[in-house]
Amino acid sequence: MSADQARNAVGPPYGERGPGNGESGEQGPGNREPGRQGPGEQALVGQESGEQESGKQGSGKQDGETRKTVWVALGANLGIAVAKAVGGAIAGSPALLSEAAHSVADSLNEVFLLASLRRSERPADPLHPFGYGKERFFWSLLAAVGIFVTGGCFSFLQGIEAFRSEESESFSGYVIGLAVLVVALLAEGTSLLRALSQVRAQAKVHHRGTLHEIKVNDDPTLRTVLAEDSTACLGVLLAILGMALHMATGNGAYEAWASLLIGALLVYVAYILGKSARAQLIGEAAAPEMQQEIRDFLDGRPEIDAVTAAMTMRLGPDSVMLAARVDLVAGLDSEEVEEALVRTKRELRERWPELDQLFLDVTDASVADRVRARRARKELDDVVEERRQTDAV
């Protein structure tokens, strides 16, 4: 059977919708003769409906936990920002004022993250057929910019100004400032524990260690909150150290250096978060391990002779698109082709529920296609092995 006949049997390739088709890449009832049901179609519809509903419930529960985590962080940062600003003004402490700017930046970022959670839940529409999952990546990028501008740059300015300032400090004011920082550390620590608790719960579900879960977690909202809270705790410790040394020695340079270190820390965190958000916005693939497992699955199908391409892209924290070109074994008629692809798609979704956008294109693989596919597979295997060795270190 030719490739054109196979395409006509299984519906439009790569996301073209056929008449009556409710899902991209699937052949709908409107493409068949009246009264005729494709092989295995009823089982597929029922199975996918249950899987997608279960996936949505799991995603909704995870988003609910993330929303609670963000609200806890927002409440803590708002209260802390006011306390730090008042304490810094009383004490005349640049390190404490830098920390106040840090908390203001974090509070603004939490507002961004809450907006991302709400906007990313909007359903797909004709202008955005793959949904709004990437809203989270966009708002996470804005949060990174906020950390850099509001937090990092202000802290640098405070540190530079502290080197030039000759104002005398108030001992009682500094005691108040240190008390504020201790309270801030407790509040930031509580928020951090909340974020870590959610990460541990997700790690348990995924059967991974907590550190590994932090490294591979695809939720930009949770990752941003975790980075902010960790940085905030470290920043408070630096501010406490700078103020304590200033009080003990009378040398304001310690606080100035503390402000500069806080600024450098914030700029670094902003860079890491911005780099991650950029990669996701421009179209980041699924994890190499997941790509490898999908290729192994497709290569192991008896109906598939060769997989010439298997491209993935993350559309959201729990949404992945897969577009694959496959060459089927010879001798299959149109009904056998359709039944094989329906079964393949169903089993793909059973193993990877996040594959909510799935496209299989039947093609005739040339010798050049097969060579390119083998080269791409070797590169993927090398990346996976390198990641494994890195994780083992």
Side-chain angles (χ1 to χ4, degrees):
M1 183 177 60
S2 69
D4 289 338
Q5 290 174 320
R7 291 190 185 95
N8 292 333
V10 301
Y14 280 86
E16 297 177 7
R17 290 181 179 269
N21 185 6
E23 181 180 357
S24 299
E26 302 277 5
Q27 182 187 17
N31 292 338
R32 301 195 181 94
E33 298 175 6
R36 179 183 174 189
Q37 183 179 14
E41 180 182 329
Q42 185 174 4
L44 173 68
V45 173
Q47 180 72 24
E48 289 183 2
S49 176
E51 287 171 0
Q52 291 175 358
E53 186 64 29
S54 175
K56 289 178 181 178
Q57 291 175 357
S59 174
K61 182 178 179 181
Q62 180 175 323
D63 287 352
E65 291 299 313
T66 301
R67 188 174 283 104
K68 291 178 183 177
T69 300
V70 176
W71 275 113
V72 169
L74 177 59
N77 282 316
L78 283 174
I80 293 169
V82 174
K84 287 177 180 177
V86 173
I90 294 175
S93 167
L96 191 52
L97 289 174
S98 295
E99 272 301 299
H102 183 179
S103 294
V104 170
D106 286 351
S107 299
L108 183 61
N109 292 338
E110 259 84 65
V111 174
F112 287 159
L113 298 179
L114 288 172
S116 76
L117 287 170
R118 180 177 59 84
R119 295 179 65 86
S120 66
E121 293 172 351
R122 290 180 295 172
D125 56 41
L127 293 178
H128 299 85
F130 296 115
Y132 290 82
K134 287 194 174 185
E135 283 270 12
R136 295 208 191 177
F137 307 148
F138 170 74
W139 290 98
S140 295
L141 179 61
L142 289 187
V145 173
I147 292 175
F148 176 81
V149 176
T150 310
C153 293
F154 183 81
S155 295
F156 277 125
L157 291 175
Q158 283 292 313
I160 294 171
E161 183 63 26
F163 278 115
R164 299 175 179 175
S165 176
E166 296 180 358
E167 295 181 3
S168 59
E169 67 280 358
S170 165
F171 182 83
S172 60
Y174 266 48
V175 172
I176 294 174
L178 286 173
V180 168
L181 285 176
V182 171
V183 173
L185 183 61
L186 294 175
E188 296 285 10
T190 300
S191 180
L192 177 60
L193 289 176
R194 164 67 198 187
L196 287 174
S197 175
Q198 184 177 346
V199 171
R200 283 196 294 268
Q202 293 183 9
K204 186 176 181 180
V205 171
H206 298 146
H207 306 290
R208 295 192 288 240
T210 301
L211 292 178
H212 187 58
E213 179 67 26
I214 293 174
K215 183 177 179 180
V216 303
N217 192 281
D218 294 311
D219 187 348
T221 304
L222 179 59
R223 186 170 58 245
T224 301
V225 172
L226 192 60
E228 287 179 349
D229 290 343
S230 302
T231 306
C233 289
L234 184 55
V236 170
L237 290 174
L238 288 173
I240 290 175
L241 180 61
M243 290 184 68
L245 289 175
H246 187 180
M247 290 177 63
T249 65
N251 188 352
Y254 289 109
E255 275 201 81
W257 281 112
S259 293
L260 293 179
L261 288 175
I262 292 170
L265 179 64
L266 291 173
V267 169
Y268 174 74
V269 169
Y271 169 75
I272 296 298
L273 292 176
K275 181 181 178 181
S276 176
R278 172 184 175 273
Q280 292 169 323
L281 277 173
I282 64 178
E284 187 178 45
E289 292 81 3
M290 180 178 177
Q291 296 181 55
Q292 187 184 59
E293 291 171 0
I294 291 174
R295 288 296 298 261
D296 288 340
F297 172 84
L298 292 175
D299 286 333
R301 304 296 300 174
E303 305 89 352
I304 296 178
D305 181 52
V307 180
T308 60
M311 297 170 287
T312 62
M313 183 171 66
R314 287 210 165 271
L315 304 176
D318 52 3
S319 175
V320 176
M321 180 179 70
L322 168 65
R325 292 190 179 99
V326 297
D327 187 1
L328 301 181
V329 297
L332 299 178
D333 61 31
S334 61
E335 289 192 359
E336 289 174 325
V337 168
E338 182 178 5
E339 184 177 5
L341 294 183
V342 163
R343 185 168 58 251
T344 298
K345 290 179 179 181
R346 181 176 65 245
E347 293 183 11
L348 278 168
R349 287 194 174 94
E350 287 175 353
R351 296 194 182 198
W352 298 280
E354 59 267 42
L355 291 177
D356 54 357
Q357 299 291 342
L358 180 55
F359 308 91
L360 295 181
D361 183 18
V362 178
T363 184
D364 284 327
S366 64
V367 174
D369 291 334
R370 294 172 185 268
V371 171
R372 282 194 297 268
R374 285 195 294 269
R375 185 184 303 118
R377 178 58 195 267
K378 184 180 183 305
E379 292 175 354
L380 176 61
D381 291 342
D382 290 342
V383 170
V384 172
E385 181 61 28
E386 182 180 352
R387 284 165 61 96
R388 286 174 180 168
Q389 293 178 359
T390 302
D391 291 340
V393 174

